[in-house]
Amino acid sequence: STNMHCQNNLPYPAEYITVMQYSNDLKNWSPETVVFPLRTEKTGLDTNLAGVIKKNGEFVGLMRIWDDNTAGSEIHLATSKNWKDGSSYEQHKEVLFPELVSILTEDPYLYIDCN
């Protein structure tokens, strides 16, 4: 999530907006692209989005949301048909690991197994 005191061109307040930028050379960066817009306590606050980009340009990832009903963190699938298109990202509804909700699961991580 974005520090609310950060100077940028994002909607105000920028806190809890998931954005991305990319670069091929670490000098010239793409414009900031909103992946998940402003989130609140009702929509899950920060996403802790983590994922991989497949060879065909699709994004597959995991995201965390807070659920007031369960008082816990839920891990959901996040996908995109084109990782560079922020509007194509989707949070899937199904909770992937319901047994972990009560222990406040944080910071998911994914990798591609070459086997």
Side-chain angles (χ1 to χ4, degrees):
S1 52
T2 306
N3 181 321
M4 66 182 186
H5 302 294
C6 179
Q7 298 297 316
N8 53 45
N9 297 320
L10 298 173
Y12 179 82
E15 187 173 31
Y16 301 126
I17 295 174
T18 303
V19 299
M20 68 147 169
Q21 285 184 286
Y22 57 90
S23 172
N24 292 328
D25 58 13
L26 299 180
K27 294 178 185 173
N28 301 298
W29 289 88
S30 71
E32 296 157 334
T33 302
V34 175
V35 176
F36 291 106
L38 178 63
R39 301 179 69 79
T40 66
E41 289 183 21
K42 297 263 186 231
T43 58
L45 296 177
D46 58 323
T47 63
N48 290 357
L49 183 64
V52 296
I53 299 168
K54 296 167 54 175
K55 289 181 183 178
N56 65 1
E58 292 180 357
F59 173 90
V60 177
L62 300 175
M63 63 186 292
R64 177 196 71 93
I65 67 164
W66 175 262
D67 185 337
D68 280 338
N69 295 323
T70 62
S73 297
E74 300 176 347
I75 301 295
H76 292 261
L77 178 66
T79 58
S80 172
K81 294 290 184 193
N82 176 1
W83 72 271
K84 291 182 180 180
D85 179 5
S87 67
S88 72
Y89 281 73
E90 178 183 353
Q91 171 189 328
H92 296 254
K93 301 291 183 201
E94 180 184 358
V95 178
L96 295 180
F97 309 104
E99 65 277 9
L100 300 178
V101 170
S102 64
I103 62 170
L104 307 176
T105 305
E106 289 271 346
D107 303 323
Y109 181 83
L110 290 178
Y111 65 94
I112 297 175
D113 186 345
C114 295
N115 295 322

